[in-house]
Amino acid sequence: MMKRLSIIILIISLVVLMFTVKLNPGRIVMGFYAGECDGNCSTLYEVTEKVLRIDTTSFREAQYGYADLKIKGQRFLEEDDEGNFQSFKIDIPIIMLLEPRTRFGCPDCWDQGGCFLEFTLLGVKRQFEIEEGKEPLYFPQLTDEVSKRVKAIRNEFNKERR
C-alpha cells in the first residue's frame, strides 16, 4: 500500500512540475498573422540570446508547411557587449514539449487572425498556432505574453532607428 501511495505521489509531483516549471528556450519565433488581409499579413520575430530578427514574408510562404519556415530577417539587431536579448523570450512550460496538439482553438478560421509560436527547447523544436482566448489550460496568458514581448521588441527596433 505504501509503495502505491509513493508512486502516486511521485506521478502527481512530476505532473505538477511539468506544468509549473518553465524554461527559457535557446530560440523562439513569435508573432501574429491573418490569412485574408491586404499588406503585411504576418510579422514574426525571431529571438536568440544574441540576435533579434523581424520577418514579414516567410509565414505566408510556409502557410501549409511550417517545417519549411525560415525567418528571412529583413531587419535585425545583434547583441553588443552591453547586454543580450534573453528578456525578449517567453519562458515555456516543460509540458509544451509533450503537447500533442499544434493548434489551440481555430486561429484565423473566422478572419480573427492567430498567434504563432515556435521554440527550440532541450533540442526539441515545436510550433503552435493559437487563437486568442483559446490558449492551453497550463498557459492561459500565452497570447498576452507574446503580445507583450512583441511590443518590447518593436520598441527595441525603434530605439535603434533614432
Side-chain angles (χ1 to χ4, degrees):
M1 183 69 170
M2 283 301 283
K3 188 174 181 175
R4 275 191 205 158
L5 183 60
S6 296
I7 291 173
I8 291 171
I9 290 171
L10 177 66
I11 290 171
I12 290 171
S13 298
L14 286 173
V15 169
V16 167
L17 281 174
M18 291 183 75
F19 277 77
T20 57
V21 172
K22 295 181 177 184
L23 300 175
N24 198 280
R27 173 185 173 272
I28 191 164
V29 176
M30 59 191 147
F32 295 91
Y33 65 92
E36 294 183 27
C37 72
D38 291 326
N40 180 6
C41 297
S42 68
T43 302
L44 298 181
Y45 301 87
E46 179 182 31
V47 183
T48 69
E49 182 179 337
K50 298 187 182 283
V51 177
L52 288 177
R53 288 186 182 89
I54 294 178
D55 185 331
T56 60
T57 60
S58 62
F59 185 82
R60 182 176 284 238
E61 292 171 3
Q63 195 162 3
Y64 300 105
Y66 299 118
D68 299 328
L69 182 67
K70 303 273 190 271
I71 301 300
K72 295 181 179 176
Q74 293 131 331
R75 292 177 45 210
F76 67 93
L77 296 175
E78 290 185 292
E79 178 222 358
D80 56 17
D81 294 334
E82 296 175 15
N84 63 45
F85 299 123
Q86 286 296 102
S87 65
F88 294 108
K89 294 184 196 173
I90 297 171
D91 292 336
I92 304 295
I94 293 174
I95 192 74
M96 282 191 92
L97 291 173
L98 305 174
E99 177 63 60
R101 299 171 291 177
T102 58
R103 288 173 59 99
F104 294 98
C106 194
D108 206 32
C109 289
W110 298 281
D111 293 338
Q112 82 277 26
C115 176
F116 180 80
L117 176 69
E118 173 184 298
F119 61 84
T120 304
L121 186 61
L122 303 174
V124 177
K125 180 179 173 181
R126 296 297 315 267
Q127 296 172 324
F128 298 95
E129 292 179 85
I130 306 110
E131 176 184 352
E132 188 173 354
K134 304 291 184 179
E135 294 88 346
L137 178 64
Y138 52 82
F139 203 165
Q141 71 283 13
L142 178 57
T143 57
D144 291 338
E145 283 294 318
V146 170
S147 183
K148 187 169 93 175
R149 295 306 197 284
V150 163
K151 286 177 186 172
I153 292 169
R154 286 181 185 155
N155 288 340
E156 187 72 17
F157 273 95
N158 287 337
K159 281 192 320 192
E160 287 296 317
R161 283 187 184 174
R162 295 178 201 156

